[in-house]
Amino acid sequence: MKIQEEFRNEILKRQEVIFSIEHSSTPVFSMLQEKLAMHFKVGEDVVVVKGVNGCFGSSSFDVRAFIYDSLEDKHRMEPRMRKKKKAEGTK
């Protein structure tokens, strides 16, 4: 894991990181979240992986992630997932 860019965003109370990683296939977001948490010595619950970009035929991937100061800051800034409504009946 090689960090390409690191930026502290004081207004949103987070650290924005862009790094590259070598992997045989597209890495899973949960694995990247775990690696970032270990590298920056924070909990996995405050790390948000935003995107993974790779070039065809290459094993190198660029990853964009946010590391929030606290769980409350993360909940305030990140969109919440909508719950799917259960179908009342089928037509």
Side-chain angles (χ1 to χ4, degrees):
M1 183 168 77
K2 180 182 175 189
I3 296 178
Q4 295 175 346
E5 188 177 332
E6 192 172 346
F7 173 75
R8 175 77 189 151
N9 192 331
E10 289 296 332
I11 296 171
L12 300 178
K13 297 181 182 175
R14 69 183 179 198
Q15 188 171 359
E16 300 177 10
V17 180
I18 299 174
F19 66 96
S20 62
I21 189 167
E22 297 287 327
H23 204 270
S24 59
S25 62
T26 304
V28 181
F29 278 37
S30 59
M31 181 205 61
L32 294 171
Q33 189 175 15
E34 180 182 320
K35 284 190 178 217
L36 271 174
M38 285 178 15
H39 182 76
F40 287 99
K41 296 177 180 78
V42 296
E44 289 182 30
D45 53 345
V46 296
V47 177
V48 177
V49 177
K50 285 304 216 182
V52 178
N53 297 326
C55 293
F56 181 76
S58 175
S59 62
S60 178
F61 296 90
D62 292 332
V63 181
R64 183 172 177 232
F66 298 151
I67 304 168
Y68 286 92
D69 291 348
S70 68
L71 194 57
E72 293 81 26
D73 295 330
K74 176 186 169 190
H75 288 310
R76 187 173 36 230
M77 299 312 299
E78 291 297 315
R80 291 173 179 74
M81 300 299 286
R82 292 182 180 226
K83 294 181 182 178
K84 290 186 179 179
K85 293 182 182 179
K86 292 183 180 179
E88 295 291 327
T90 58
K91 291 186 177 182

